[in-house]
Amino acid sequence: GESVGLHLPTLSVQEGDNSIINCAYSNSASDYFIWYKQESGKGPQFIIDIRSNMDKRQGQRVTVLLNKTVKHLSLQIAATQPGDSAVYFCAETPRTYKYIFGTGTRLKVLA
Amino acid sequence: GAVVSQHPSWVICKSGTSVKIECRSLDFQATTMFWYRQFPKQSLMLMATSNEGSKATYEQGVEKDKFLINHASLTLSTLTVTSAHPEDSSFYICSAREEGRTGNQPQHFGDGTRLSIL
C-alpha cells in the first residue's frame, strides 16, 4: 500500500505484481512529461516520456498514462522486480527546456 | 549512448573552501546543461541553466556569486561553490540536452556529487 514518509511517499509491492506510481503535475501549459528512476547515491535514469498530444505510451514493462483533464500522470510497471526498487520522479516541461520535478515516490519491492 | 560524467562523485572540505564540480557529456555535444541540488529524501531543484558561450541563467533565490557556472565548451560545464559553508552541503546533479535535436527530448543526468562541508 501507500504511505507518506518524512518527505517521500512510499509504495510497497510484492515481487511479480504490477506497480502504479502516480504524479499530479502543476502547469496546464506543460507539453512534455518524463519519468525518471533514481537509485540511492546516483543520478536520475530516464525511463519513458510522453508528449501532450498522446495519452498513453508503452515501453518495455512500463506504460505511462497522461490525463490532461485532471493534470495527472502515472507510471505502470509490469511484473515488478527487486531491481525496480528506487525513487521515481515525474517531470514536466511547460514549453521550455527546463524540468519541474515532482516530489517523488519510493518503490519498495517485497520478496 | 548519451552519457554524462560528473566529477568528483564525493568531496569533503573545510568551511570557506571553494569547490569545483565538472559535468561532461562524453558522447554528444550539449549547448545546454542544467545544475540541480537535491536534499535527502527530496526532489531535484533546478539551480541554473548553463548555456555554452554565454552567461548562465539562475533560478530565483539562487545566488549567482555563490554558485559560479562556466560552460566553456559543448561538452563541459563547471559549477564552483565559492566559500562553501555547511549549509551548502548537498547532492549536486547536472544534466545535459543533446545538441542538434529539436523539440522535447529527455535530459541525460550525471551521477551527482555529494558535497560535505565541515
Side-chain angles (χ1 to χ4, degrees):
Chain A
E2 285 195 25
S3 63
V4 177
L6 185 60
H7 291 289
L8 215 55
T10 299
L11 175 66
S12 298
V13 297
Q14 288 293 136
E15 182 179 355
D17 287 352
N18 297 334
S19 303
I20 300 176
I21 301 171
N22 297 302
C23 175
Y25 64 92
S26 58
N27 195 323
S28 56
S30 291
D31 59 355
Y32 179 59
F33 305 87
I34 317 94
W35 279 100
Y36 281 92
K37 172 186 180 182
Q38 186 178 27
E39 295 175 320
S40 181
K42 294 191 174 182
Q45 176 186 356
F46 171 76
I47 300 173
I48 193 167
D49 58 2
I50 188 168
R51 287 169 173 73
S52 59
N53 60 352
M54 303 172 69
D55 53 21
K56 180 179 180 179
R57 189 162 188 229
Q58 288 184 292
Q60 188 176 14
R61 273 201 315 120
V62 294
T63 301
V64 55
L65 299 178
L66 174 62
N67 185 329
K68 294 182 288 293
T69 303
V70 295
K71 291 191 288 186
H72 184 267
L73 196 66
S74 69
L75 176 70
Q76 300 177 1
I77 304 174
T80 312
Q81 303 169 358
D84 295 326
S85 293
V87 178
Y88 289 80
F89 292 99
C90 67
E92 60 178 303
T93 60
R95 296 180 185 160
T96 70
Y97 294 144
K98 297 196 295 186
Y99 283 3
I100 301 172
F101 277 88
T103 54
T105 298
R106 181 177 301 281
L107 176 65
K108 285 187 177 179
V109 181
L110 308 173
Chain B
V3 177
V4 173
S5 173
Q6 201 170 328
H7 178 82
S9 57
W10 179 64
V11 60
I12 300 176
C13 58
K14 293 181 179 179
S15 185
T17 307
S18 291
V19 179
K20 180 186 283 189
I21 303 169
E22 292 187 348
C23 179
R24 293 182 185 273
S25 56
L26 296 187
D27 50 2
F28 66 98
Q29 294 186 323
T31 306
T32 307
M33 291 184 173
F34 303 87
W35 287 97
Y36 295 84
R37 184 172 180 175
Q38 186 177 32
F39 291 105
K41 297 184 179 180
Q42 293 191 31
S43 188
L44 285 78
M45 295 298 297
L46 179 65
M47 299 173 65
T49 303
S50 172
N51 304 297
E52 187 267 335
S54 65
K55 290 183 179 180
T57 306
Y58 290 82
E59 295 300 301
Q60 191 173 8
V62 178
E63 298 176 60
K64 62 180 180 181
D65 295 330
K66 174 74 169 177
F67 299 99
L68 299 179
I69 291 172
N70 183 278
H71 194 153
S73 78
L74 285 172
T75 59
L76 174 64
S77 175
T78 60
L79 169 69
T80 301
V81 184
T82 61
S83 187
H85 290 96
E87 59 267 27
D88 299 321
S89 298
S90 192
F91 193 51
Y92 293 88
I93 310 173
C94 72
S95 70
R97 291 187 77 252
E98 193 169 346
E99 168 74 7
R101 295 180 59 184
T102 58
N104 289 309
Q105 53 168 296
Q107 294 177 16
H108 307 291
F109 284 82
D111 268 342
T113 297
R114 174 78 55 198
L115 175 62
S116 296
I117 308 298
L118 304 177

